[in-house]
Amino acid sequence: MLENLKQELTDQINNANSLDELQQVKVKALGKKGSITLLTKNMKDKSIEEKKILGQAVHSLKEYIEIILKQKELFLIDMKIKDDIKKDKIDIFLPGVEFHQGSLHPLTITRNEIEEFFISLGFEVARGNEIESDEYNFEKMNIPKDHPARDMQDTFYFSEEELLRTHTSPMQARIMERNAPDKPIRVIVPGKTFRRDEDDLTHSHQFMQVEGLVIDKNISLADLKGTLELFARKMFGPNTQIRFRPSYFPFTEPSVEVDVTCHICKGKGCSVCKHTGWIEILGAGQVHPNVIKNCGYDPEVYQGFAFGMGIERIAMIKYGVDDVRLFYQNNLNFLKQFDKLK
Ligand code: PHE
């Protein structure tokens, strides 16, 4: 009788074509009212000897059925996976997922290029704080409280003493004080600066500058000119020329404004250079003896030059950008154009 049941269940397991069908066979054999389970229940009235023989036979039948159920189950799972893969068609015309790679901001590209140039000349790069004191932003730079030059740089004040720096020049004083009285200095300081200007095509209340400072014995305006000439050629092309125009800054004497030949018209005159052939790029000069003295060097022995340029202005000239506000709006169509300039 057990042989018949064994054969019957084996056939049913072999014939099961899906995991569902197999589950039904399993319940019919091993479930609470399954054929194998019932066999053990009916043993009550048998003698001990019979119970022993039948018990062993049922047990080995149960083990056998469990093993072939498991094998069939694994087989059917495997079949199902293969079947699913076959049904799964790949649509090769489906558009791919676009992968947006970020790129450096044009102001970062320009700042990096400026830094690389000055590092190649042996300059160090220093950074300062955006919050400055009135003392360093103005007083130490030879701009006392009632000085008219304060009107040129309308200032965001936190208090009478604390402000957002209007230029990177206060770092001149901080670096000189660190190195006084006799260490030579070659440094640039890039960073954010702030002025209470109305935002328009060429003004922004927040912008970036790079300060340059050289302090040593026997430094003259010729050193400044040579340095800036190399700089202009690196930034705007090998045929670029520069010129100095007399100017005024309280912390330099003499002071100059520096122009480069217009790289669009090569000096012939066009709308970019307002038909002059020249474009102003920065302010500079010999460090004022008062500043040198204020910061702990002897102006009779040490001289130096300093310059300050707007990174936005350099980038606008270099890339032909006519509205400074474009740098801060984060319009991807604008920013993407600088992708390849990294
Ligand atoms: N600090 C000046 C400005 O912001 C620029 C400058 C720096 C001029 C150093 C001369 C020397 O306008």
Side-chain angles (χ1 to χ4, degrees):
M1 189 193 118
L2 283 192
E3 274 310 306
N4 285 348
L5 182 58
K6 182 178 176 181
Q7 192 55 50
E8 202 182 303
L9 289 174
T10 308
D11 289 346
Q12 285 176 12
I13 290 169
N14 285 341
N15 292 337
N17 281 325
S18 68
L19 287 165
D20 276 349
E21 278 177 43
L22 190 70
Q23 180 61 19
Q24 282 168 22
V25 178
K26 188 175 179 177
V27 172
K28 266 198 264 165
L30 302 169
K32 258 193 201 156
K33 290 179 183 159
S35 43
I36 296 178
T37 318
L38 287 179
L39 282 176
T40 26
K41 281 193 182 155
N42 294 340
M43 276 198 296
K44 287 201 273 326
D45 354 294
K46 305 270 158 101
S47 70
I48 293 182
E49 203 52 30
E50 279 175 323
K51 272 187 190 165
K52 203 176 160 191
I53 296 169
L54 192 64
Q56 268 177 0
V58 172
H59 182 72
S60 59
L61 173 65
K62 196 177 163 191
E63 253 182 8
Y64 171 78
I65 294 298
E66 276 172 351
I67 289 169
I68 61 168
L69 267 171
K70 191 74 208 167
Q71 280 174 349
K72 183 71 190 233
E73 188 188 347
L74 292 175
F75 172 78
L76 287 173
I77 289 174
D78 197 44
M79 291 286 287
K80 186 170 166 7
I81 292 172
K82 286 190 178 134
D83 207 42
D84 284 351
I85 292 174
K86 242 189 242 164
K87 277 193 224 139
D88 217 14
K89 283 200 199 109
I90 295 173
D91 182 353
I92 57 165
F93 295 105
L94 209 65
V97 182
E98 216 182 315
F99 179 66
H100 288 287
Q101 196 180 11
S103 59
L104 292 181
H105 191 278
L107 293 179
T108 307
I109 297 172
T110 309
R111 193 197 64 203
N112 286 348
E113 204 177 335
I114 296 170
E115 284 182 10
E116 266 164 38
F117 170 75
F118 283 102
I119 288 170
S120 78
L121 287 193
F123 281 67
E124 283 179 55
V125 181
R127 315 230 177 243
N129 291 335
E130 288 159 23
I131 296 177
E132 258 300 355
S133 62
D134 186 279
E135 189 190 355
Y136 279 87
N137 197 81
F138 292 123
E139 304 277 338
K140 296 230 180 196
M141 298 316 291
N142 207 26
I143 319 175
K145 285 250 158 23
D146 53 359
H147 198 288
R150 288 207 178 202
D151 300 339
M152 283 158 57
Q153 302 189 356
D154 215 348
T155 310
F156 288 111
Y157 279 96
F158 294 110
S159 64
E160 243 176 71
E161 243 319 291
E162 269 191 324
L163 46 79
L164 285 174
R165 66 177 175 191
T166 56
H167 51 179
T168 41
S169 300
M171 283 306 289
Q172 285 190 35
R174 291 190 182 276
I175 292 168
M176 272 191 256
E177 285 178 349
R178 271 179 228 154
N179 290 282
D182 54 8
K183 286 203 204 89
I185 298 172
R186 274 169 186 68
V187 72
I188 55 163
V189 189
K192 278 186 201 150
T193 46
F194 308 81
R195 283 183 205 175
R196 286 181 47 180
D197 278 329
E198 289 291 329
D199 293 355
D200 62 22
L201 281 178
T202 52
H203 293 86
S204 163
H205 60 283
Q206 181 200 297
F207 55 106
M208 289 175 82
Q209 285 192 334
V210 179
E211 193 79 10
L213 175 70
V214 169
I215 299 284
D216 210 336
K217 291 174 185 163
N218 302 319
I219 297 289
S220 75
L221 218 53
D223 297 306
L224 172 65
K225 197 160 187 184
T227 305
L228 293 180
E229 203 162 58
L230 287 175
F231 171 71
R233 289 186 190 149
K234 172 76 191 346
M235 293 307 279
F236 304 112
N239 297 322
T240 310
Q241 289 171 38
I242 65 167
R243 75 173 181 189
F244 280 7
R245 271 181 298 111
S247 183
Y248 173 76
F249 300 103
F251 33 91
T252 45
E253 181 59 39
S255 301
V256 293
E257 246 147 340
V258 181
D259 297 343
V260 292
T261 39
C262 176
H263 65 304
I264 305 283
C265 63
K266 311 281 177 238
K268 285 192 206 81
C270 68
S271 61
V272 173
C273 57
K274 301 199 183 80
H275 302 284
T276 62
W278 296 94
I279 301 177
E280 184 197 321
I281 58 161
L282 56 85
Q286 288 272 98
V287 182
H288 197 292
N290 285 354
V291 176
I292 296 198
K293 198 162 67 204
N294 284 348
C295 299
Y297 284 85
D298 178 356
E300 297 291 330
V301 185
Y302 286 89
Q303 305 82 39
F305 64 76
F307 54 86
M309 65 181 96
I311 299 184
E312 282 83 349
R313 185 160 175 80
I314 302 283
M316 285 169 84
I317 297 168
K318 197 168 156 103
Y319 301 126
V321 176
D322 56 8
D323 185 345
V324 70
R325 292 167 294 194
L326 287 165
F327 290 125
Y328 315 115
Q329 287 160 348
N330 286 332
N331 177 334
L332 284 181
N333 286 335
F334 173 73
L335 295 178
K336 266 191 214 151
Q337 301 176 90
F338 301 89
D339 255 13
K340 288 158 209 73
L341 301 171
K342 275 173 277 181

